mmCIF file of all heavy atoms in Angstrom:
data_model
loop_
_atom_site.group_PDB
_atom_site.id
_atom_site.type_symbol
_atom_site.label_atom_id
_atom_site.label_comp_id
_atom_site.label_asym_id
_atom_site.label_seq_id
_atom_site.Cartn_x
_atom_site.Cartn_y
_atom_site.Cartn_z
ATOM 1 N N LEU X 1 0.844 -1.178 -0.021
ATOM 2 C CA LEU X 1 -0.013 0.013 -0.033
ATOM 3 C C LEU X 1 0.845 1.271 0.002
ATOM 4 O O LEU X 1 0.548 2.255 -0.676
ATOM 5 C CB LEU X 1 -0.929 -0.010 1.226
ATOM 6 C CG LEU X 1 -1.929 1.150 1.339
ATOM 7 C CD1 LEU X 1 -2.892 1.111 0.256
ATOM 8 C CD2 LEU X 1 -2.673 1.074 2.701
ATOM 9 N N PHE X 2 1.909 1.185 0.739
ATOM 10 C CA PHE X 2 2.901 2.271 0.792
ATOM 11 C C PHE X 2 3.480 2.531 -0.596
ATOM 12 O O PHE X 2 3.469 3.741 -1.037
ATOM 13 C CB PHE X 2 4.019 1.910 1.783
ATOM 14 C CG PHE X 2 4.960 3.034 2.171
ATOM 15 C CD1 PHE X 2 4.508 3.963 3.025
ATOM 16 C CD2 PHE X 2 6.146 3.126 1.690
ATOM 17 C CE1 PHE X 2 5.347 5.018 3.458
ATOM 18 C CE2 PHE X 2 7.013 4.124 2.073
ATOM 19 C CZ PHE X 2 6.585 5.081 2.952
ATOM 20 N N GLY X 3 3.916 1.537 -1.283
ATOM 21 C CA GLY X 3 4.436 1.728 -2.590
ATOM 22 C C GLY X 3 3.391 2.208 -3.616
ATOM 23 O O GLY X 3 3.665 3.040 -4.490
ATOM 24 N N TYR X 4 2.211 1.721 -3.460
ATOM 25 C CA TYR X 4 1.078 2.082 -4.317
ATOM 26 C C TYR X 4 0.825 3.641 -4.228
ATOM 27 O O TYR X 4 0.656 4.306 -5.176
ATOM 28 C CB TYR X 4 -0.150 1.307 -3.927
ATOM 29 C CG TYR X 4 -1.467 1.743 -4.464
ATOM 30 C CD1 TYR X 4 -1.891 1.367 -5.743
ATOM 31 C CD2 TYR X 4 -2.353 2.502 -3.672
ATOM 32 C CE1 TYR X 4 -3.113 1.762 -6.228
ATOM 33 C CE2 TYR X 4 -3.589 2.880 -4.124
ATOM 34 C CZ TYR X 4 -3.938 2.550 -5.421
ATOM 35 O OH TYR X 4 -5.158 2.921 -5.938
ATOM 36 N N ILE X 5 0.757 4.089 -2.950
ATOM 37 C CA ILE X 5 0.457 5.517 -2.727
ATOM 38 C C ILE X 5 1.635 6.421 -3.291
ATOM 39 O O ILE X 5 1.352 7.420 -3.826
ATOM 40 C CB ILE X 5 0.251 5.750 -1.202
ATOM 41 C CG1 ILE X 5 -1.017 5.078 -0.746
ATOM 42 C CG2 ILE X 5 0.269 7.301 -0.905
ATOM 43 C CD1 ILE X 5 -1.215 5.150 0.784
ATOM 44 N N LEU X 6 2.891 6.015 -3.073
ATOM 45 C CA LEU X 6 3.988 6.769 -3.506
ATOM 46 C C LEU X 6 4.070 6.837 -5.034
ATOM 47 O O LEU X 6 4.326 7.906 -5.613
ATOM 48 C CB LEU X 6 5.318 6.180 -3.008
ATOM 49 C CG LEU X 6 5.574 6.353 -1.517
ATOM 50 C CD1 LEU X 6 6.893 5.714 -1.109
ATOM 51 C CD2 LEU X 6 5.656 7.855 -1.220
ATOM 52 N N THR X 7 3.759 5.713 -5.713
ATOM 53 C CA THR X 7 3.747 5.743 -7.162
ATOM 54 C C THR X 7 2.666 6.651 -7.729
ATOM 55 O O THR X 7 2.914 7.442 -8.631
ATOM 56 C CB THR X 7 3.587 4.300 -7.694
ATOM 57 O OG1 THR X 7 4.609 3.464 -7.215
ATOM 58 C CG2 THR X 7 3.518 4.276 -9.250
ATOM 59 N N LEU X 8 1.453 6.574 -7.165
ATOM 60 C CA LEU X 8 0.385 7.409 -7.618
ATOM 61 C C LEU X 8 0.687 8.892 -7.293
ATOM 62 O O LEU X 8 0.394 9.793 -8.037
ATOM 63 C CB LEU X 8 -0.890 7.032 -6.998
ATOM 64 C CG LEU X 8 -1.559 5.787 -7.580
ATOM 65 C CD1 LEU X 8 -2.902 5.508 -6.817
ATOM 66 C CD2 LEU X 8 -1.842 5.917 -9.064
ATOM 67 N N THR X 9 1.242 9.171 -6.186
ATOM 68 C CA THR X 9 1.669 10.544 -5.770
ATOM 69 C C THR X 9 2.674 11.124 -6.828
ATOM 70 O O THR X 9 2.463 12.203 -7.237
ATOM 71 C CB THR X 9 2.303 10.564 -4.371
ATOM 72 O OG1 THR X 9 1.367 10.090 -3.413
ATOM 73 C CG2 THR X 9 2.696 11.992 -4.026
ATOM 74 N N SER X 10 3.635 10.310 -7.197
ATOM 75 C CA SER X 10 4.585 10.784 -8.211
ATOM 76 C C SER X 10 3.890 11.061 -9.530
ATOM 77 O O SER X 10 4.120 12.083 -10.198
ATOM 78 C CB SER X 10 5.665 9.716 -8.394
ATOM 79 O OG SER X 10 6.340 9.471 -7.186
ATOM 80 N N PHE X 11 3.021 10.143 -9.978
ATOM 81 C CA PHE X 11 2.333 10.210 -11.235
ATOM 82 C C PHE X 11 1.451 11.477 -11.285
ATOM 83 O O PHE X 11 1.508 12.264 -12.237
ATOM 84 C CB PHE X 11 1.522 8.969 -11.434
ATOM 85 C CG PHE X 11 0.638 8.999 -12.697
ATOM 86 C CD1 PHE X 11 1.199 8.924 -13.951
ATOM 87 C CD2 PHE X 11 -0.707 9.165 -12.622
ATOM 88 C CE1 PHE X 11 0.398 8.916 -15.128
ATOM 89 C CE2 PHE X 11 -1.534 9.189 -13.684
ATOM 90 C CZ PHE X 11 -0.955 9.076 -14.980
ATOM 91 N N TYR X 12 0.629 11.675 -10.286
ATOM 92 C CA TYR X 12 -0.289 12.850 -10.239
ATOM 93 C C TYR X 12 0.424 14.159 -10.081
ATOM 94 O O TYR X 12 0.018 15.194 -10.659
ATOM 95 C CB TYR X 12 -1.429 12.634 -9.220
ATOM 96 C CG TYR X 12 -2.409 11.610 -9.629
ATOM 97 C CD1 TYR X 12 -2.599 10.453 -8.867
ATOM 98 C CD2 TYR X 12 -3.250 11.848 -10.705
ATOM 99 C CE1 TYR X 12 -3.537 9.490 -9.262
ATOM 100 C CE2 TYR X 12 -4.231 10.866 -11.094
ATOM 101 C CZ TYR X 12 -4.404 9.748 -10.358
ATOM 102 O OH TYR X 12 -5.320 8.822 -10.736
ATOM 103 N N SER X 13 1.422 14.125 -9.256
ATOM 104 C CA SER X 13 2.246 15.395 -9.033
ATOM 105 C C SER X 13 2.919 15.909 -10.273
ATOM 106 O O SER X 13 2.793 17.058 -10.636
ATOM 107 C CB SER X 13 3.318 15.163 -7.929
ATOM 108 O OG SER X 13 2.760 14.835 -6.717
ATOM 109 N N ARG X 14 3.567 14.979 -11.033
ATOM 110 C CA ARG X 14 4.200 15.429 -12.233
ATOM 111 C C ARG X 14 3.207 15.930 -13.263
ATOM 112 O O ARG X 14 3.405 16.975 -13.876
ATOM 113 C CB ARG X 14 4.960 14.211 -12.790
ATOM 114 C CG ARG X 14 5.426 14.342 -14.219
ATOM 115 C CD ARG X 14 6.381 15.514 -14.508
ATOM 116 N NE ARG X 14 7.628 15.436 -13.822
ATOM 117 C CZ ARG X 14 8.632 16.276 -14.015
ATOM 118 N NH1 ARG X 14 8.392 17.340 -14.793
ATOM 119 N NH2 ARG X 14 9.771 16.175 -13.403
ATOM 120 N N HIS X 15 2.101 15.222 -13.463
ATOM 121 C CA HIS X 15 1.189 15.648 -14.474
ATOM 122 C C HIS X 15 0.421 16.895 -14.071
ATOM 123 O O HIS X 15 0.091 17.802 -14.905
ATOM 124 C CB HIS X 15 0.139 14.579 -14.748
ATOM 125 C CG HIS X 15 0.782 13.411 -15.624
ATOM 126 N ND1 HIS X 15 1.616 12.486 -15.044
ATOM 127 C CD2 HIS X 15 0.703 13.180 -16.941
ATOM 128 C CE1 HIS X 15 2.007 11.710 -16.014
ATOM 129 N NE2 HIS X 15 1.424 12.040 -17.125
ATOM 130 N N TYR X 16 0.173 17.108 -12.762
ATOM 131 C CA TYR X 16 -0.443 18.336 -12.283
ATOM 132 C C TYR X 16 0.387 19.521 -12.583
ATOM 133 O O TYR X 16 0.008 20.602 -13.022
ATOM 134 C CB TYR X 16 -0.812 18.212 -10.867
ATOM 135 C CG TYR X 16 -1.245 19.532 -10.139
ATOM 136 C CD1 TYR X 16 -2.491 20.051 -10.456
ATOM 137 C CD2 TYR X 16 -0.344 20.200 -9.363
ATOM 138 C CE1 TYR X 16 -2.878 21.269 -9.836
ATOM 139 C CE2 TYR X 16 -0.699 21.416 -8.747
ATOM 140 C CZ TYR X 16 -1.944 21.926 -9.005
ATOM 141 O OH TYR X 16 -2.344 23.127 -8.437
ATOM 142 N N LEU X 17 1.759 19.376 -12.171
ATOM 143 C CA LEU X 17 2.675 20.492 -12.338
ATOM 144 C C LEU X 17 2.965 20.803 -13.750
ATOM 145 O O LEU X 17 3.389 21.890 -14.062
ATOM 146 C CB LEU X 17 3.900 20.200 -11.479
ATOM 147 C CG LEU X 17 3.787 20.093 -10.002
ATOM 148 C CD1 LEU X 17 4.980 19.524 -9.310
ATOM 149 C CD2 LEU X 17 3.481 21.489 -9.472
ATOM 150 N N GLN X 18 2.820 19.801 -14.635
ATOM 151 C CA GLN X 18 3.031 20.034 -16.092
ATOM 152 C C GLN X 18 1.753 20.484 -16.747
ATOM 153 O O GLN X 18 1.727 20.734 -17.976
ATOM 154 C CB GLN X 18 3.508 18.752 -16.761
ATOM 155 C CG GLN X 18 4.936 18.409 -16.465
ATOM 156 C CD GLN X 18 5.381 17.125 -17.130
ATOM 157 O OE1 GLN X 18 4.529 16.202 -17.408
ATOM 158 N NE2 GLN X 18 6.589 17.049 -17.483
ATOM 159 N N LYS X 19 0.672 20.573 -16.033
ATOM 160 C CA LYS X 19 -0.632 21.036 -16.466
ATOM 161 C C LYS X 19 -1.141 20.108 -17.582
ATOM 162 O O LYS X 19 -1.685 20.602 -18.581
ATOM 163 C CB LYS X 19 -0.554 22.525 -16.996
ATOM 164 C CG LYS X 19 -0.183 23.481 -15.874
ATOM 165 C CD LYS X 19 -0.045 24.899 -16.414
ATOM 166 C CE LYS X 19 0.361 25.902 -15.323
ATOM 167 N NZ LYS X 19 0.503 27.231 -15.785
ATOM 168 N N MET X 20 -0.926 18.838 -17.447
ATOM 169 C CA MET X 20 -1.429 17.848 -18.363
ATOM 170 C C MET X 20 -2.714 17.258 -17.831
ATOM 171 O O MET X 20 -2.763 16.712 -16.692
ATOM 172 C CB MET X 20 -0.330 16.734 -18.583
ATOM 173 C CG MET X 20 0.898 17.360 -19.355
ATOM 174 S SD MET X 20 2.252 16.101 -19.383
ATOM 175 C CE MET X 20 1.519 14.767 -20.280
ATOM 176 N N HIS X 21 -3.736 17.274 -18.687
ATOM 177 C CA HIS X 21 -5.046 16.726 -18.244
ATOM 178 C C HIS X 21 -5.013 15.187 -18.187
ATOM 179 O O HIS X 21 -4.510 14.515 -19.055
ATOM 180 C CB HIS X 21 -6.083 17.164 -19.266
ATOM 181 C CG HIS X 21 -7.444 16.557 -18.985
ATOM 182 N ND1 HIS X 21 -8.220 16.874 -17.870
ATOM 183 C CD2 HIS X 21 -8.133 15.607 -19.629
ATOM 184 C CE1 HIS X 21 -9.304 16.199 -17.870
ATOM 185 N NE2 HIS X 21 -9.327 15.410 -19.000
ATOM 186 N N ILE X 22 -5.520 14.655 -17.077
ATOM 187 C CA ILE X 22 -5.617 13.214 -16.945
ATOM 188 C C ILE X 22 -7.115 12.838 -16.901
ATOM 189 O O ILE X 22 -7.854 13.332 -16.019
ATOM 190 C CB ILE X 22 -4.942 12.664 -15.674
ATOM 191 C CG1 ILE X 22 -3.449 13.068 -15.693
ATOM 192 C CG2 ILE X 22 -5.133 11.176 -15.551
ATOM 193 C CD1 ILE X 22 -2.706 12.687 -14.380
ATOM 194 N N SER X 23 -7.618 12.039 -17.846
ATOM 195 C CA SER X 23 -8.947 11.668 -17.912
ATOM 196 C C SER X 23 -9.343 10.737 -16.747
ATOM 197 O O SER X 23 -8.469 10.135 -16.120
ATOM 198 C CB SER X 23 -9.306 10.970 -19.247
ATOM 199 O OG SER X 23 -8.721 9.745 -19.298
ATOM 200 N N ILE X 24 -10.656 10.604 -16.495
ATOM 201 C CA ILE X 24 -11.084 9.689 -15.435
ATOM 202 C C ILE X 24 -10.649 8.297 -15.742
ATOM 203 O O ILE X 24 -10.247 7.496 -14.860
ATOM 204 C CB ILE X 24 -12.650 9.773 -15.239
ATOM 205 C CG1 ILE X 24 -12.981 11.139 -14.712
ATOM 206 C CG2 ILE X 24 -13.109 8.706 -14.258
ATOM 207 C CD1 ILE X 24 -14.515 11.400 -14.630
ATOM 208 N N ALA X 25 -10.816 7.908 -17.017
ATOM 209 C CA ALA X 25 -10.407 6.570 -17.469
ATOM 210 C C ALA X 25 -8.915 6.299 -17.203
ATOM 211 O O ALA X 25 -8.531 5.202 -16.769
ATOM 212 C CB ALA X 25 -10.813 6.340 -18.921
ATOM 213 N N ASP X 26 -8.065 7.302 -17.549
ATOM 214 C CA ASP X 26 -6.647 7.164 -17.335
ATOM 215 C C ASP X 26 -6.355 7.092 -15.883
ATOM 216 O O ASP X 26 -5.389 6.353 -15.432
ATOM 217 C CB ASP X 26 -5.879 8.272 -18.032
ATOM 218 C CG ASP X 26 -5.740 8.031 -19.554
ATOM 219 O OD1 ASP X 26 -5.902 6.914 -19.979
ATOM 220 O OD2 ASP X 26 -5.426 9.018 -20.265
ATOM 221 N N GLY X 27 -6.992 7.851 -15.026
ATOM 222 C CA GLY X 27 -6.800 7.818 -13.625
ATOM 223 C C GLY X 27 -7.080 6.449 -13.045
ATOM 224 O O GLY X 27 -6.388 5.929 -12.176
ATOM 225 N N PHE X 28 -8.246 5.851 -13.469
ATOM 226 C CA PHE X 28 -8.608 4.548 -13.043
ATOM 227 C C PHE X 28 -7.599 3.524 -13.474
ATOM 228 O O PHE X 28 -7.179 2.609 -12.713
ATOM 229 C CB PHE X 28 -10.000 4.179 -13.594
ATOM 230 C CG PHE X 28 -10.482 2.802 -13.218
ATOM 231 C CD1 PHE X 28 -10.914 2.482 -12.011
ATOM 232 C CD2 PHE X 28 -10.345 1.828 -14.255
ATOM 233 C CE1 PHE X 28 -11.330 1.215 -11.615
ATOM 234 C CE2 PHE X 28 -10.760 0.532 -13.856
ATOM 235 C CZ PHE X 28 -11.264 0.210 -12.606
ATOM 236 N N LYS X 29 -7.124 3.670 -14.744
ATOM 237 C CA LYS X 29 -6.109 2.732 -15.279
ATOM 238 C C LYS X 29 -4.856 2.837 -14.481
ATOM 239 O O LYS X 29 -4.221 1.787 -14.203
ATOM 240 C CB LYS X 29 -5.871 3.063 -16.754
ATOM 241 C CG LYS X 29 -5.026 1.999 -17.493
ATOM 242 C CD LYS X 29 -5.008 2.387 -18.991
ATOM 243 C CE LYS X 29 -4.222 1.282 -19.804
ATOM 244 N NZ LYS X 29 -4.192 1.621 -21.245
ATOM 245 N N ALA X 30 -4.431 4.037 -14.132
ATOM 246 C CA ALA X 30 -3.186 4.184 -13.328
ATOM 247 C C ALA X 30 -3.301 3.500 -11.980
ATOM 248 O O ALA X 30 -2.333 2.892 -11.497
ATOM 249 C CB ALA X 30 -2.894 5.692 -13.165
ATOM 250 N N ASN X 31 -4.432 3.634 -11.322
ATOM 251 C CA ASN X 31 -4.650 2.961 -10.035
ATOM 252 C C ASN X 31 -4.556 1.444 -10.131
ATOM 253 O O ASN X 31 -3.925 0.818 -9.319
ATOM 254 C CB ASN X 31 -6.024 3.389 -9.514
ATOM 255 C CG ASN X 31 -5.996 4.733 -8.808
ATOM 256 O OD1 ASN X 31 -5.825 4.813 -7.581
ATOM 257 N ND2 ASN X 31 -6.213 5.778 -9.583
ATOM 258 N N VAL X 32 -5.183 0.914 -11.191
ATOM 259 C CA VAL X 32 -5.199 -0.562 -11.352
ATOM 260 C C VAL X 32 -3.748 -1.025 -11.681
ATOM 261 O O VAL X 32 -3.232 -2.039 -11.103
ATOM 262 C CB VAL X 32 -6.152 -1.001 -12.425
ATOM 263 C CG1 VAL X 32 -6.022 -2.497 -12.715
ATOM 264 C CG2 VAL X 32 -7.573 -0.688 -12.027
ATOM 265 N N LEU X 33 -3.069 -0.293 -12.582
ATOM 266 C CA LEU X 33 -1.724 -0.714 -13.046
ATOM 267 C C LEU X 33 -0.705 -0.600 -11.931
ATOM 268 O O LEU X 33 0.311 -1.398 -11.957
ATOM 269 C CB LEU X 33 -1.317 0.068 -14.237
ATOM 270 C CG LEU X 33 -2.073 -0.229 -15.525
ATOM 271 C CD1 LEU X 33 -1.590 0.673 -16.643
ATOM 272 C CD2 LEU X 33 -1.941 -1.654 -15.916
ATOM 273 N N CYS X 34 -0.982 0.293 -10.921
ATOM 274 C CA CYS X 34 -0.034 0.301 -9.814
ATOM 275 C C CYS X 34 0.024 -1.011 -9.096
ATOM 276 O O CYS X 34 1.109 -1.452 -8.735
ATOM 277 C CB CYS X 34 -0.511 1.481 -8.844
ATOM 278 S SG CYS X 34 0.302 3.012 -9.098
ATOM 279 N N ILE X 35 -1.136 -1.603 -8.953
ATOM 280 C CA ILE X 35 -1.215 -2.884 -8.262
ATOM 281 C C ILE X 35 -0.506 -3.967 -9.100
ATOM 282 O O ILE X 35 0.232 -4.783 -8.593
ATOM 283 C CB ILE X 35 -2.697 -3.191 -7.928
ATOM 284 C CG1 ILE X 35 -3.348 -2.192 -7.112
ATOM 285 C CG2 ILE X 35 -2.764 -4.598 -7.307
ATOM 286 C CD1 ILE X 35 -4.831 -2.307 -6.908
ATOM 287 N N LEU X 36 -0.818 -4.026 -10.454
ATOM 288 C CA LEU X 36 -0.194 -5.005 -11.239
ATOM 289 C C LEU X 36 1.326 -4.842 -11.319
ATOM 290 O O LEU X 36 2.062 -5.853 -11.417
ATOM 291 C CB LEU X 36 -0.816 -4.813 -12.698
ATOM 292 C CG LEU X 36 -2.267 -5.246 -12.854
ATOM 293 C CD1 LEU X 36 -2.626 -4.998 -14.325
ATOM 294 C CD2 LEU X 36 -2.495 -6.679 -12.510
ATOM 295 N N GLU X 37 1.762 -3.609 -11.318
ATOM 296 C CA GLU X 37 3.229 -3.449 -11.311
ATOM 297 C C GLU X 37 3.851 -3.901 -10.040
ATOM 298 O O GLU X 37 4.928 -4.491 -10.040
ATOM 299 C CB GLU X 37 3.483 -1.904 -11.540
ATOM 300 C CG GLU X 37 4.949 -1.568 -11.922
ATOM 301 C CD GLU X 37 5.787 -1.298 -10.700
ATOM 302 O OE1 GLU X 37 5.290 -0.900 -9.635
ATOM 303 O OE2 GLU X 37 7.035 -1.481 -10.765
ATOM 304 N N LEU X 38 3.189 -3.724 -8.916
ATOM 305 C CA LEU X 38 3.745 -4.113 -7.613
ATOM 306 C C LEU X 38 3.783 -5.636 -7.467
ATOM 307 O O LEU X 38 4.792 -6.202 -6.974
ATOM 308 C CB LEU X 38 2.949 -3.472 -6.474
ATOM 309 C CG LEU X 38 3.145 -2.041 -6.196
ATOM 310 C CD1 LEU X 38 2.099 -1.490 -5.254
ATOM 311 C CD2 LEU X 38 4.582 -1.820 -5.481
ATOM 312 N N VAL X 39 2.726 -6.344 -7.920
ATOM 313 C CA VAL X 39 2.649 -7.750 -7.602
ATOM 314 C C VAL X 39 2.968 -8.627 -8.841
ATOM 315 O O VAL X 39 3.032 -9.813 -8.704
ATOM 316 C CB VAL X 39 1.164 -8.054 -7.175
ATOM 317 C CG1 VAL X 39 0.802 -7.384 -5.901
ATOM 318 C CG2 VAL X 39 0.169 -7.854 -8.277
ATOM 319 N N GLY X 40 3.216 -8.004 -9.998
ATOM 320 C CA GLY X 40 3.509 -8.783 -11.215
ATOM 321 C C GLY X 40 4.845 -8.395 -11.841
ATOM 322 O O GLY X 40 5.801 -9.118 -11.744
ATOM 323 N N LEU X 41 4.903 -7.241 -12.486
ATOM 324 C CA LEU X 41 6.024 -6.855 -13.300
ATOM 325 C C LEU X 41 7.281 -6.714 -12.439
ATOM 326 O O LEU X 41 8.398 -7.063 -12.928
ATOM 327 C CB LEU X 41 5.734 -5.531 -13.935
ATOM 328 C CG LEU X 41 6.894 -4.973 -14.880
ATOM 329 C CD1 LEU X 41 7.086 -5.879 -16.035
ATOM 330 C CD2 LEU X 41 6.502 -3.561 -15.354
ATOM 331 N N ARG X 42 7.122 -6.249 -11.156
ATOM 332 C CA ARG X 42 8.322 -6.018 -10.341
ATOM 333 C C ARG X 42 9.022 -7.360 -10.074
ATOM 334 O O ARG X 42 10.213 -7.469 -10.055
ATOM 335 C CB ARG X 42 7.921 -5.409 -9.042
ATOM 336 C CG ARG X 42 9.056 -5.041 -8.158
ATOM 337 C CD ARG X 42 8.648 -4.066 -7.023
ATOM 338 N NE ARG X 42 8.140 -2.805 -7.563
ATOM 339 C CZ ARG X 42 7.848 -1.792 -6.786
ATOM 340 N NH1 ARG X 42 8.034 -1.863 -5.472
ATOM 341 N NH2 ARG X 42 7.398 -0.658 -7.357
ATOM 342 N N PHE X 43 8.261 -8.465 -9.882
ATOM 343 C CA PHE X 43 8.864 -9.742 -9.633
ATOM 344 C C PHE X 43 9.540 -10.345 -10.856
ATOM 345 O O PHE X 43 10.576 -11.010 -10.822
ATOM 346 C CB PHE X 43 7.794 -10.764 -9.052
ATOM 347 C CG PHE X 43 7.452 -10.462 -7.604
ATOM 348 C CD1 PHE X 43 6.342 -9.701 -7.329
ATOM 349 C CD2 PHE X 43 8.269 -10.888 -6.601
ATOM 350 C CE1 PHE X 43 6.004 -9.466 -5.986
ATOM 351 C CE2 PHE X 43 7.952 -10.667 -5.271
ATOM 352 C CZ PHE X 43 6.842 -9.896 -4.976
ATOM 353 N N ILE X 44 8.943 -10.087 -12.026
ATOM 354 C CA ILE X 44 9.529 -10.521 -13.283
ATOM 355 C C ILE X 44 10.864 -9.817 -13.519
ATOM 356 O O ILE X 44 11.886 -10.484 -13.809
ATOM 357 C CB ILE X 44 8.586 -10.262 -14.481
ATOM 358 C CG1 ILE X 44 7.299 -11.113 -14.344
ATOM 359 C CG2 ILE X 44 9.270 -10.584 -15.803
ATOM 360 C CD1 ILE X 44 6.226 -10.723 -15.404
ATOM 361 N N LEU X 45 10.903 -8.532 -13.275
ATOM 362 C CA LEU X 45 12.124 -7.811 -13.529
ATOM 363 C C LEU X 45 13.173 -8.110 -12.455
ATOM 364 O O LEU X 45 14.349 -8.020 -12.735
ATOM 365 C CB LEU X 45 11.813 -6.272 -13.545
ATOM 366 C CG LEU X 45 10.963 -5.796 -14.752
ATOM 367 C CD1 LEU X 45 10.779 -4.356 -14.678
ATOM 368 C CD2 LEU X 45 11.551 -6.242 -16.077
ATOM 369 N N MET X 46 12.723 -8.469 -11.254
ATOM 370 C CA MET X 46 13.671 -8.898 -10.249
ATOM 371 C C MET X 46 14.389 -10.141 -10.666
ATOM 372 O O MET X 46 15.621 -10.251 -10.538
ATOM 373 C CB MET X 46 12.875 -9.230 -8.901
ATOM 374 C CG MET X 46 13.833 -9.672 -7.762
ATOM 375 S SD MET X 46 12.931 -10.494 -6.431
ATOM 376 C CE MET X 46 12.461 -12.080 -7.201
ATOM 377 N N PHE X 47 13.642 -11.075 -11.282
ATOM 378 C CA PHE X 47 14.323 -12.299 -11.773
ATOM 379 C C PHE X 47 15.265 -11.972 -12.966
ATOM 380 O O PHE X 47 16.363 -12.544 -13.011
ATOM 381 C CB PHE X 47 13.246 -13.357 -12.232
ATOM 382 C CG PHE X 47 13.839 -14.582 -12.749
ATOM 383 C CD1 PHE X 47 14.377 -15.497 -11.874
ATOM 384 C CD2 PHE X 47 13.823 -14.850 -14.072
ATOM 385 C CE1 PHE X 47 14.900 -16.734 -12.314
ATOM 386 C CE2 PHE X 47 14.384 -16.021 -14.595
ATOM 387 C CZ PHE X 47 14.953 -16.948 -13.685
ATOM 388 N N VAL X 48 14.872 -11.085 -13.837
ATOM 389 C CA VAL X 48 15.670 -10.692 -14.938
ATOM 390 C C VAL X 48 16.997 -10.070 -14.492
ATOM 391 O O VAL X 48 18.093 -10.428 -14.903
ATOM 392 C CB VAL X 48 14.961 -9.663 -15.885
ATOM 393 C CG1 VAL X 48 15.951 -9.037 -16.819
ATOM 394 C CG2 VAL X 48 13.821 -10.307 -16.582
#
């Protein structure tokens, strides 16, 4: 949960400060992918 919050904080902070619009669909996608990255991709890249 800690990693999830930090990743989303970084994502939204950067786009807010760059004045880039994030749609509701993209926001939802970012939230879901944070979880997939933490429990899936991270372990694959750890093995690599």
Side-chain angles (χ1 to χ4, degrees):
L1 183 63
F2 193 74
Y4 168 81
I5 293 172
L6 287 178
T7 300
L8 284 182
T9 300
S10 302
F11 175 74
Y12 285 115
S13 295
R14 165 59 66 174
H15 286 77
Y16 169 76
L17 293 169
Q18 286 181 331
K19 299 178 181 179
M20 292 172 60
H21 174 71
I22 301 175
S23 67
I24 295 176
D26 280 344
F28 177 77
K29 190 173 184 179
N31 278 267
V32 173
L33 289 179
C34 263
I35 301 172
L36 291 178
E37 193 268 336
L38 281 169
V39 301
L41 182 62
R42 185 165 298 187
F43 285 98
I44 294 173
L45 295 182
M46 179 196 75
F47 180 75
V48 169

